[in-house]
Amino acid sequence: MTRKLLIVGAAIAALSVAACGQKSDETKGAATPAEQAATPDANPAATVPTPSDETKAATFVEKAAASDMFEIEAAKLAAKRSTNAEIKAFAAKMEKAHTKTTEDLKAAIAASGAALTPPAALPEDLQGKLDDLTKANDKDFDKKYADSQVDAHQAALDLLQRYAQDGDTAAIKAFAAATAPAVQEHLNMAEGLKKGFDTGKDVAKAEDKVADAKAKVAEEKAKK
C-alpha cells in the first residue's frame, strides 16, 4: 500500500513539474509591463503633430503676415546688393506691394472683429531663407533672389487660395480672394526672372547693354 502511494505521489509531482514548464514556455514571449511601457507606439500618427490648419483665421494671419515680412526684407536686401536693373525694379515693386498687403490684412482683421495680432518677427523657416540669401555671394545673389521669389510667391498664392475658398472668417476670406490675383502676377514675374537666369538670357541682355554703351561712347568720340 505504501509503495502504491509513493508511485502515485511521484506521478503527481511529475505532472506538476511538466505543467509548470509548459506555463513557463507559454509566457516566455509575453512582454512584461516594463517592456510594454518601453515599446514605441505602434501607430506613428499618434506621435506626429497635426499640421497647422490654414483654414483657421489665426493660422492664416500668422502665415500671410510672415510671407509679407519675408518679401519686404528680401526686397530691401535686393535693393542694396543687386546690380541688375530688372531685379532692382522687381524688388522695389515687391516692397511696395507687400507693404500694402500688410496694411490690407490689418484692415481685414479689424473689420472681422477677431482678436488677432500679426507676428512681429519672421518664423524660423523664413528667417533661415533670408539668412541664406544674405550669405549668398555677389555672383549668385540675383539668381538666388529670383529662385526664392518663385518659391515664396507660390507658397503665398496657395495659402491665399485655400483660405479664400475654405476660410472661417468672412472679412479675412475677402482679403485673401482680393489679394490672390496680385500674388499670381508677382509669381509670373518671378518665374520670368528665374527663367532668364536659368537660360542665360539675363547675361546676354547685360552683355548687349554693355556693347551698346561702348558703341555709343565710340560714336561720341568719332563725332568729336
Side-chain angles (χ1 to χ4, degrees), residues 75 78-79 82-94 141-143 145-146 149 186 188-197 200-209:
S82 180
T83 57
N84 181 297
E86 290 184 46
I87 290 287
K88 291 176 83 70
F90 175 81
K93 183 168 185 176
M94 292 307 98
F141 178 83
D142 288 342
K143 184 178 185 307
Y145 175 70
Q149 288 301 292
H186 298 168
N188 294 343
M189 293 169 64
E191 286 175 338
L193 289 175
K194 180 179 177 357
K195 185 177 180 180
F197 285 108
K201 289 181 180 178
D202 189 79
V203 174
K205 286 180 181 179
E207 290 175 345
D208 287 343
K209 287 179 181 179

Side-chain angles (χ1 to χ4, degrees), residues 2-37:
T2 302
R3 185 179 178 184
K4 287 182 180 181
L5 289 173
L6 289 173
I7 292 172
V8 171
I12 291 172
L15 288 172
S16 298
V17 170
C20 290
Q22 183 180 6
K23 185 176 181 181
S24 176
D25 289 339
E26 288 175 352
T27 60
K28 187 175 181 180
T32 66
E35 289 171 337
Q36 289 175 348

Side-chain angles (χ1 to χ4, degrees), residues 20 41 45 63 79 107 159 161 178:
C20 290
D41 193 327
K63 291 190 174 185
L159 175 71
Q161 289 177 333

Side-chain angles (χ1 to χ4, degrees), residues 27 69 136 219:
T27 60
M69 270 194 287
E219 186 179 345

Side-chain angles (χ1 to χ4, degrees), residues 40 58 87 94 103 116 130-131 136 153 156 158 166 179-180 185 195 204 213 217 223:
I87 290 287
M94 292 307 98
E103 295 305 315
L116 298 170
L130 187 63
D131 291 343
H153 280 99
D158 291 344
D166 301 317
T179 306
E185 180 185 351
K195 185 177 180 180
V217 170
K223 289 180 180 179

Side-chain angles (χ1 to χ4, degrees), residues 67-68 70-71 90 94 97-98 145-160 180 182-190:
S67 176
D68 277 340
F70 173 78
E71 289 296 339
F90 175 81
M94 292 307 98
H98 288 280
Y145 175 70
D147 290 346
S148 74
Q149 288 301 292
V150 172
D151 293 342
H153 280 99
Q154 184 63 68
L157 181 61
D158 291 344
L159 175 71
L160 290 164
V183 173
Q184 177 68 72
E185 180 185 351
H186 298 168
L187 175 60
N188 294 343
M189 293 169 64

